[in-house]
Amino acid sequence: MQLMTPWSRVSFTVLDILLVAVIIYEVLVMIRGTRAAPMLAGLAAVAAAFYLARIGELVTLNWLVSHLLPYVVFALIVVFQSEIRHVLSDVGRRVSFLRGSAVEGDSYDDIVLAANLFSQHQTGALIVIEREIGLRTYIESGVAMDARLSYDLLATIFRPSAPLHDGAVIIQKDRLAAAACFLPLSMNPVLSTQMGTRHRAGIGITEETDAIAVIVSEETGAISMAVGGKIERDLSVEHLRELLSMELRRYMAPVALPTVGPQGEDSDAGEESALRARAPMGADGDDDAEAEHPL
C-alpha cells in the first residue's frame, strides 16, 4: 500500500478547508435576510456559553448544557425545517441542472398574452409554472382542471366574476393542472410590507420549490415575476417574455399583443392578430380553436 506523500496530505488539507469554507459561505448566504439569521445568532450565544462552561469549569452550567445538548439537535430540525427543506431543494435543482434537463411542452406565449390582458384591465392574477420539483401538494389544494393551456382559458379563469379567480393556477408543461390553488406565504421579513397576499404567495412558492410565479397586481396592473424567492416588479411584457425564455431555457418568439380601446375593451384587430399569431393553422386554413373551459 502506497503511503501518502507530504504534498498529497497538504493538498487534501487545503481541499478540506475549501469545502468547509464553501459550506459555511452557502449557509450564511442562505439565511441572510431571513428569520433564521437571529436564530443562528442565538445558537452561537448558546455555543459560546457551553464553551465558557467547559474551559471555566462551571460545574452546574456545564451539567445543564451537557444534558440539554442531545435535545438541541431535534429542536434545530424543528426550528429550521423550512430552511433545511430549501437547501435540499436547491441541491436537487443543481443536480437536475447538471443533468441538462430542459422544460418540455409548448411555448408559454399564452401566459405572456394573458399577463398583458390582466395588466391592461388591472385584473389580479397569479400563474405558477412547475419545473423540476413537483407541485402535487398545491395542485390538490385547488380545483383540478387538466386542461390544455391557452390564453382564452386563463382569461376566463381570472375574470373577476368567475368563481375560480381567487388563488393561483398551476401550469404543468403545456397543461393547466389546477386553479384556485392555495400557496404558502413568504415569511421573509425583508419583503416590503406594501406587498399583498398575492405577491407574498408568489414569492413563497418559489422559496419552497423551483417554480416560476407570474403575478399581476389588481391595484396597479403591474406585472411581476418571482424565481428562487426573489421578485422582479414592474416588468414590461417584452421583459417578462425575455425572463421566461431565459428561465425556461427555450426561445419564445415575439407575438402580437392585444390592445385596449378607449372604452377599456380589447380592440378586435389586436385580439384577432394575437390569437392568429399563437394558434396553429388547421388543414383547411382555419385557426385551431380547441380550448378547455373551466366550467
Side-chain angles (χ1 to χ4, degrees), residues 54-111:
R54 279 295 182 88
I55 64 175
E57 298 182 356
L58 304 177
V59 180
T60 305
L61 183 58
N62 189 23
W63 176 88
L64 179 62
V65 175
S66 299
H67 282 74
L68 290 178
L69 189 60
Y71 304 99
V72 171
V73 177
F74 297 100
L76 291 177
I77 295 176
V78 173
V79 172
F80 293 101
Q81 58 177 327
S82 60
E83 284 75 14
I84 294 174
R85 185 167 60 249
H86 178 72
V87 170
L88 295 178
S89 299
D90 186 61
V91 172
R93 288 196 298 267
R94 295 183 182 184
V95 172
S96 300
F97 178 77
L98 293 176
R99 288 203 308 264
S101 60
V103 177
E104 300 177 356
D106 295 335
S107 170
Y108 288 96
D109 277 328
D110 290 297
I111 298 177

Side-chain angles (χ1 to χ4, degrees), residues 127-149:
I127 305 171
V128 178
I129 305 173
E130 178 186 275
R131 291 201 279 183
E132 292 294 334
I133 300 178
L135 303 177
R136 179 179 176 183
T137 302
Y138 307 107
I139 291 174
E140 292 176 349
S141 70
V143 178
M145 303 285 293
D146 192 24
R148 177 177 174 269
L149 173 62

Side-chain angles (χ1 to χ4, degrees), residues 6-77:
W7 172 250
S8 299
R9 286 195 295 268
V10 171
S11 300
F12 277 103
T13 301
V14 172
L15 179 61
D16 188 23
I17 295 174
L18 288 177
L19 290 176
V20 173
V22 169
I23 292 174
I24 294 176
Y25 173 78
E26 290 293 337
V27 170
L28 293 177
V29 170
M30 176 192 66
I31 67 174
R32 182 181 60 181
T34 67
R35 57 175 181 165
M39 294 180 184
L40 185 62
L43 181 62
V46 173
F50 179 72
Y51 178 75
L52 292 176
R54 279 295 182 88
I55 64 175
E57 298 182 356
L58 304 177
V59 180
T60 305
L61 183 58
N62 189 23
W63 176 88
L64 179 62
V65 175
S66 299
H67 282 74
L68 290 178
L69 189 60
Y71 304 99
V72 171
V73 177
F74 297 100
L76 291 177
I77 295 176

